[in-house]
Amino acid sequence: MAPRAAAFAALTSAFLATAVAGLASAHAPAAKPAAAAATPAAAQPPASDSLPVPPPPQIAGTAWVLMDAASGNILASHEPDMRVEPASITKVMTSYVIAAEMAGGKVKDTDQVMMTENAWRKGGAATDGSYSGFEVNKTAPLVEMEKGMVVQSGNDAAIALAEHVAGSEDAFAALMNQYAARIGLKNSHFMNPHGLSQENHYSTAHDLALLGRALIHDFPTAYSYNKIKELKVGPITQPNRNLLLWRDSSVDGIKTGHHSKAGYCLMASAQRGDQRLISVVMGSSSEAQRASDSQALLNWGFRFFETHKLYDAGKAIAKQKVWKGQSAEVQLGVAEPLLVTVQRGKYPQLKPSMDVPKTLVAPIKKGQAIGMVKVMLDGKVVAQRPLVALAAVEEGGFFKRLWDEFWMWWESD
């Protein structure tokens, strides 16, 4: 190799070696000072919503329930299916029957209801129970008589209403039991419209919560009477006995009850945002105790559980192919909003699924139930609703039906 070429090669080699060494040095991690001590990572406190739900408050009643109104699921309970005397909470059933008969056109809120002598003697001011104050042998509009029963817990008003709606207390009690079965009360039997102690007149905390849920859902106008704080009938003004109406603005019902065998009872309901809870406390020791225990249950439920709306009513959440129809597909949704209540922090773990028939054939009516949407959490169903057709799909013409018949046969092979 020529001397000039050899020198150039040596110079190039030296330059590359220096560059590589410099690059390696530039990318090498800097050494820590000898005196520097490693600082441990700060411990992160657990998120409160990830902790297990603590037990519910101690309740003094003989039986009690806390229910999620959206799903009907019980969040906490003690002896929920034990038979108890429902006392004046019975009048919630009376309200339900009246509202249902009104919806059926059998009675009207403007009907003049007579405070009969029988109603006055059995439940009026001369008795030991609560009374409405309507005068004997005089009439009042049905809606006012009902408010007297609901707000003032008037036994006389309950009897007068029963007589007006069904002709007699016995006939009205038969209606009560028919509607109770329709609602799904499995361990209740009613003998009168007012709740005074009588043989074979019983219910359970669970059934009463279901009853309250049904009234709220089916007849919100009738339910709204329960939040009236006081009512004046003639010269007499009486307060609602539900103390929570004055303590908690989210409470809007529902009914108190008391007699010597039943103890002090309270069915309460409150709504905060989209979340509604229903508490039932039976057999408490005092008016103050039933109120404080009910408040504690509601506060516990709202603190550790949350309600989310998963699907709006009437909004498409799925599409399904339709055979032999004028349209090739149908949109599916839910007829009512689908809300689910879960432990706080569990919402991201919900797993919805849809069960829809593989083959749909026209005609399909609007609102027709087609399958089911289910919401699972930890392997359990926490909510489910029927999927319904959001629009009708009429039957297609002759050639459309014939063509689809061929392809249905082809795909089934």
Side-chain angles (χ1 to χ4, degrees):
M1 177 183 295
R4 182 178 293 180
F8 179 79
L11 182 61
T12 301
S13 177
F15 173 79
L16 288 175
T18 303
V20 169
L23 184 64
S25 175
H27 285 276
K32 292 183 179 180
T39 303
Q44 296 296 319
S48 63
D49 286 346
S50 69
L51 300 175
V53 174
Q58 293 292 320
I59 305 300
T62 56
W64 55 266
V65 156
L66 180 66
M67 176 180 286
D68 162 42
S71 66
N73 293 337
I74 293 180
L75 304 182
S77 67
H78 172 71
E79 299 288 1
D81 297 316
M82 181 177 71
R83 287 186 180 181
V84 293
E85 294 204 37
S88 281
I89 296 180
T90 297
K91 293 172 178 127
V92 179
M93 189 75 241
T94 302
S95 288
Y96 190 95
V97 173
I98 294 169
E101 293 292 286
M102 193 181 301
K106 298 175 183 177
V107 294
K108 300 188 296 294
D109 59 0
T110 56
D111 284 358
Q112 292 298 309
V113 177
M114 174 69 72
M115 177 58 70
T116 64
E117 187 166 342
N118 175 64
W120 181 77
R121 289 189 179 278
K122 285 185 177 180
T127 66
D128 291 333
S130 51
Y131 65 95
S132 66
F134 290 101
E135 292 187 56
V136 64
N137 292 327
K138 291 190 177 181
T139 65
L142 182 147
V143 66
E144 295 304 316
M145 189 72 72
E146 185 174 1
K147 290 176 183 177
M149 177 188 72
V150 171
V151 179
Q152 299 167 333
S153 199
N155 296 325
D156 52 351
I159 297 170
L161 287 163
E163 292 174 339
H164 179 82
V165 171
S168 69
E169 289 184 81
D170 289 343
F172 189 84
L175 281 179
M176 295 172 77
N177 290 314
Q178 291 171 20
Y179 278 110
R182 187 177 299 180
I183 293 170
L185 311 189
K186 297 181 179 179
N187 200 9
S188 297
H189 189 265
F190 300 97
M191 295 293 293
N192 62 61
H194 43 70
L196 293 174
S197 185
Q198 188 171 344
E199 188 176 359
N200 289 326
H201 187 89
Y202 59 82
S203 189
T204 67
H206 187 191
D207 273 7
L208 292 175
L210 288 172
L211 171 59
R213 177 175 180 247
L215 182 65
I216 293 166
H217 178 271
D218 297 347
F219 304 112
T221 298
Y223 175 72
S224 69
Y225 304 152
N226 292 274
K227 66 181 179 182
I228 299 173
K229 292 184 177 180
E230 62 180 23
L231 186 68
K232 183 176 182 180
V233 176
I236 303 172
T237 299
Q238 297 188 63
N240 194 315
R241 291 172 171 79
N242 184 356
L243 299 180
L244 296 188
L245 293 176
W246 283 267
R247 298 180 182 178
D248 185 342
S249 61
S250 69
V251 173
D252 54 13
I254 180 172
K255 192 71 190 74
T256 61
H258 170 257
H259 60 62
S260 58
K261 291 186 178 180
Y264 290 85
C265 312
L266 175 58
M267 178 197 294
S269 183
Q271 181 164 357
R272 301 178 188 175
D274 287 334
Q275 187 176 10
R276 177 177 286 279
L277 301 179
I278 299 170
S279 65
V280 177
V281 173
M282 307 299 292
S284 192
S285 58
S286 68
E287 186 175 7
Q289 188 67 53
R290 72 185 178 189
S292 61
D293 281 349
S294 298
Q295 182 75 78
L297 276 176
L298 292 171
N299 287 343
W300 177 85
F302 283 119
R303 166 58 186 86
F304 293 106
F305 295 86
E306 58 185 345
T307 297
H308 292 273
K309 183 190 293 184
L310 300 186
Y311 305 112
D312 284 311
K315 298 285 185 67
I317 59 178
K319 294 180 181 179
Q320 189 73 0
K321 181 178 177 59
V322 177
W323 296 97
K324 301 183 181 182
Q326 293 182 9
S327 299
E329 62 183 19
V330 62
Q331 292 186 331
L332 305 178
V334 289
E336 297 180 350
L338 176 53
L339 295 96
V340 61
T341 298
V342 294
Q343 178 185 339
R344 289 195 179 276
K346 291 276 190 177
Y347 176 69
Q349 300 174 33
L350 293 176
K351 296 180 180 179
S353 64
M354 299 182 192
D355 183 9
V356 180
K358 183 178 179 181
T359 303
L360 289 179
V361 180
I364 296 173
K365 296 179 180 179
K366 182 179 180 180
Q368 180 178 330
I370 301 174
M372 188 76 67
V373 56
K374 296 181 180 180
V375 184
M376 308 287 290
L377 178 64
D378 298 332
K380 297 179 180 179
V381 177
V382 294
Q384 60 181 357
R385 291 288 187 281
L387 282 169
V388 300
L390 299 183
V393 178
E394 302 297 336
E395 193 175 51
F398 173 75
F399 289 106
K400 168 66 172 169
R401 299 197 308 272
L402 186 63
W403 182 252
D404 280 5
E405 183 71 35
F406 168 76
W407 281 108
M408 289 173 67
W409 168 80
W410 182 268
E411 292 189 3
S412 65
D413 191 8

